[in-house]
Amino acid sequence: MERCACPAALLLLSLVLMGAMAFDVEIKDDKNATCIYAKLSVNVTVQYETNTSSTKNVTFSVPSEVTTNGSSCGSNGKAPILVINFGNGHSWSLNFTRNDSMYSGGALIFTYNTNDSTLFPDALKEGLISSTAAFLGPIPLNSTYKCISSEVVVSENVTQIISDVKLEAFMQNGTLGKEVSCDADKPSPTPTTNPSTTASTTTPTPTSKPLDNPTTGNYSVSDVNGTCLLASMGLQINTSLLSEGKNIWTAFNIDPTAMSKNGTCSNQTGTLILTDNSTVIEFTLALKNKNHFYLKEVNVALINGSASSTRQNQNLSAWEASVGSSYMCHKEQQIKVSEDLVINSFDVRVQLFGVKNETFATAQQCSLDDDSIVIPIVVGAALAGLIVIIVIAYLIGRRKGYSGYQTL
């Protein structure tokens, strides 16, 4: 599992913009003293396989009305645990550990019930499914962890956006300790200003400046049978932002070294999930007629403060190649995710299924890279032009030849 702490507060994946819903609970010991306090918002996206062998994403929030059955302050060597139950058999749980000076979160387990026909009406596998991640780094004892900004927590088939957190475990005397803010909530260093510089009285209008091509990243997704999806590409996000009543297009490159990589594969699809401190990108490739694969869906989630927004296109038909081969395109391509967001891809090479020894199979090139048809066209055009010139010269010469004789 991978985790991403987002400095301002979020794709996934197929996340939709939703109003924040927070639960607020206290866990008490046998003396009725509070040992765990938790108030936080959790938005969840679950990817599941349908009974038609395709995959779907469903997004929902942990509601404010929850129960805490199964929670415990810990005793007899057992760690304290917070269990949040909601809906039709779904749960969110986090256990805690400590040493002499710090406490931490342990396993964060999200359990969803695919028998819930409202959320999973066409799920292939029915029953309870759990996905485990990590959450909450070391916090000083007798301190309350506070984080308004969002944190993206990615585990198998599940992406959680956790925000507006106020949490403390191992509480002393049932009272909250001094608040400790997450790094994302701490103010950025104030830039030094030159006293000799006169401050402008107007705010400059943002402009989109050309960027260098993005760095190519190498990614892979594995299942129980080994690598099922292999990808290499450079990515650039172009999005339209509203500034002073105008839509201004801005661009930024994705840094592969800053990305958390995750994903999953089913019998028919493979999904690559890339997460950094402000962006989640989800690529879903699928089989077509069993002998070809292609890029079917892209979801992009952007984070700004405690808000998140998502764009998605579920009807793509790009990056197509035969199963057992890889798709390759060196030229720049544009993937339209929405009216206000486009992904520019560079030096793309992808393969769904049939990956051997972590190596791409023989590549099928995109038409943009195929120069083989250009040479015949140029040669043909040149020959046609030469023939026209010869014919014209012949006709002119013949006309001059006849002009020297008269009819008797």
Side-chain angles (χ1 to χ4, degrees):
M1 59 288 213
E2 301 286 347
R3 188 178 62 157
C4 162
C6 303
L10 167 40
L11 95 124
L12 163 61
L13 325 156
S14 52
L15 290 171
V16 295
L17 183 61
M18 298 181 295
M21 302 179 68
F23 57 83
D24 188 338
V25 297
E26 294 181 41
I27 307 303
K28 298 187 176 184
D29 59 19
D30 53 5
K31 297 180 180 178
N32 205 35
T34 301
C35 63
I36 302 173
Y37 174 79
K39 179 181 179 182
L40 59 151
S41 298
V42 182
N43 286 347
V44 185
T45 293
V46 176
Q47 183 179 76
Y48 68 98
E49 188 172 2
T50 70
N51 47 29
T52 59
S53 297
S54 62
T55 58
K56 281 187 178 180
N57 293 328
V58 58
T59 300
F60 52 94
S61 296
V62 178
S64 56
E65 297 297 324
V66 299
T67 64
T68 57
N69 297 335
S71 300
S72 168
C73 292
S75 61
N76 299 324
K78 293 184 179 180
I81 185 170
L82 172 65
V83 181
I84 303 297
N85 307 288
F86 65 97
N88 186 5
H90 314 296
S91 65
W92 184 98
S93 68
L94 177 66
N95 60 20
F96 301 92
T97 61
R98 60 166 289 177
N99 57 26
D100 293 338
S101 60
M102 311 288 283
Y103 70 92
S104 303
L108 170 56
I109 302 175
F110 186 81
T111 301
Y112 53 100
N113 182 14
T114 55
N115 282 318
D116 186 341
S117 58
T118 301
L119 294 176
F120 308 96
D122 52 356
L124 175 64
K125 183 179 179 180
E126 296 184 348
L128 297 177
I129 301 174
S130 296
S131 186
T132 304
F135 176 69
L136 190 64
I139 306 297
L141 285 172
N142 305 321
S143 299
T144 303
Y145 175 73
K146 182 179 180 181
C147 195
I148 297 173
S149 301
S150 294
E151 182 169 344
V152 183
V153 180
V154 181
S155 57
E156 185 178 4
N157 297 328
V158 175
T159 295
Q160 302 179 58
I161 301 174
I162 302 174
S163 60
D164 297 318
V165 178
K166 189 175 182 180
L167 188 152
E168 184 174 348
F170 301 102
M171 291 172 59
Q172 298 294 315
N173 303 318
T175 57
L176 292 172
K178 180 181 178 181
E179 290 185 352
V180 175
S181 296
C182 62
D183 291 340
D185 284 356
K186 295 175 182 177
S188 301
T190 303
T192 58
T193 56
N194 188 341
S196 63
T197 302
T198 302
S200 173
T201 57
T202 59
T203 302
T205 301
T207 57
S208 180
K209 297 180 180 179
L211 295 178
D212 293 333
N213 287 358
T215 302
T216 300
N218 299 308
Y219 313 104
S220 64
V221 178
S222 299
D223 59 14
V224 293
N225 297 315
T227 301
C228 54
L229 193 160
L230 200 60
S232 175
M233 64 187 102
L235 299 172
Q236 184 180 96
I237 304 294
N238 291 267
T239 185
S240 177
L241 302 175
L242 186 63
S243 176
E244 297 182 354
K246 297 180 181 180
N247 286 320
I248 306 296
W249 281 89
T250 59
F252 61 92
N253 289 337
I254 295 299
D255 180 5
T257 64
M259 303 298 290
S260 298
K261 300 90 173 175
N262 211 292
T264 183
C265 289
S266 68
N267 292 332
Q268 299 290 321
T269 64
T271 299
L272 171 66
I273 303 169
L274 305 178
T275 308
D276 70 4
N277 62 355
S278 61
T279 310
V280 177
I281 309 173
E282 177 185 308
F283 296 96
T284 297
L285 289 87
L287 292 181
K288 177 189 287 188
N289 300 326
K290 296 183 179 181
N291 54 7
H292 283 77
F293 69 86
Y294 70 105
L295 178 64
K296 177 183 180 182
E297 179 179 344
V298 174
N299 297 283
V300 178
L302 304 175
I303 307 171
N304 183 16
S306 59
S308 63
S309 61
T310 296
R311 285 85 163 174
Q312 60 181 311
N313 188 341
Q314 298 177 316
N315 297 295
L316 293 168
S317 183
W319 299 358
E320 183 172 344
S322 301
V323 173
S325 301
S326 61
Y327 170 88
M328 183 170 66
C329 197
H330 294 297
K331 298 290 179 63
E332 177 181 357
Q333 299 178 88
Q334 287 193 337
I335 302 170
K336 184 178 180 181
V337 182
S338 66
E339 292 297 330
D340 61 352
L341 193 144
V342 175
I343 296 178
N344 289 7
S345 61
F346 302 78
D347 293 314
V348 173
R349 193 165 185 184
V350 294
Q351 182 174 344
L352 177 65
F353 303 137
V355 178
K356 297 179 180 179
N357 301 320
E358 301 289 327
T359 304
F360 288 109
T362 303
Q364 295 183 358
Q365 287 187 304
C366 65
S367 58
L368 293 173
D369 285 352
D370 189 2
D371 296 328
S372 61
I373 194 174
V374 175
I375 295 175
I377 290 174
V378 172
V379 173
L383 290 174
L386 182 60
I387 290 171
V388 170
I389 292 172
I390 292 173
V391 171
I392 293 174
Y394 169 76
L395 292 175
I396 292 174
R398 187 177 181 185
R399 185 176 180 182
K400 287 184 177 180
Y402 276 113
S403 64
Y405 299 91
Q406 293 183 359
T407 305
L408 296 178

